[in-house]
Amino acid sequence: PNDPSGTDAISRYFERIHRAFEFALKDAVRSGEVRSSLDTTAEAHFLAASVLGIFVMLRAAAPARAVAAAASAANDHVESLRA
């Protein structure tokens, strides 16, 4: 229970974000918003990692242009999933 590194909490947080993305992606596949061939599990992992990476950039006070570029690239990727 005592994890001074915070690894367990981070893992749980990543898993919650992953599950939320996977649920949303599966719903989007069912409704025809994204292509039916989408690997929702892999895509959810990618999106969770992308969001957490942007959070780290913000926390580390990365230059605003870098954060904006990362967010724009993530948005472009999401748009590319459309059916």
Side-chain angles (χ1 to χ4, degrees), residues 7 10 13 16 19 24-25 29 32 44-45 55 61 67 78:
T7 302
I10 293 168
Y13 184 59
R16 280 195 314 271
R19 282 194 312 265
L25 288 166
V29 167
H45 282 301
F55 288 167
V67 175
V78 169

Side-chain angles (χ1 to χ4, degrees), residues 4-79:
S5 72
T7 302
D8 288 341
I10 293 168
S11 293
R12 287 190 308 273
Y13 184 59
F14 180 84
E15 187 57 32
R16 280 195 314 271
I17 291 172
H18 168 264
R19 282 194 312 265
F21 274 124
E22 188 167 25
F23 179 84
L25 288 166
K26 286 181 178 181
D27 190 50
V29 167
R30 278 191 296 275
S31 68
E33 294 177 60
V34 298
R35 61 183 183 272
S36 61
S37 62
L38 186 69
D39 181 341
T40 56
T41 300
E43 193 64 39
H45 282 301
F46 173 76
L47 292 173
S50 296
V51 166
L52 289 176
I54 292 171
F55 288 167
V56 169
M57 292 175 76
L58 291 168
R59 178 95 180 188
R65 286 183 62 187
V67 175
S72 179
N75 186 62
D76 290 348
H77 177 76
V78 169
E79 289 296 325

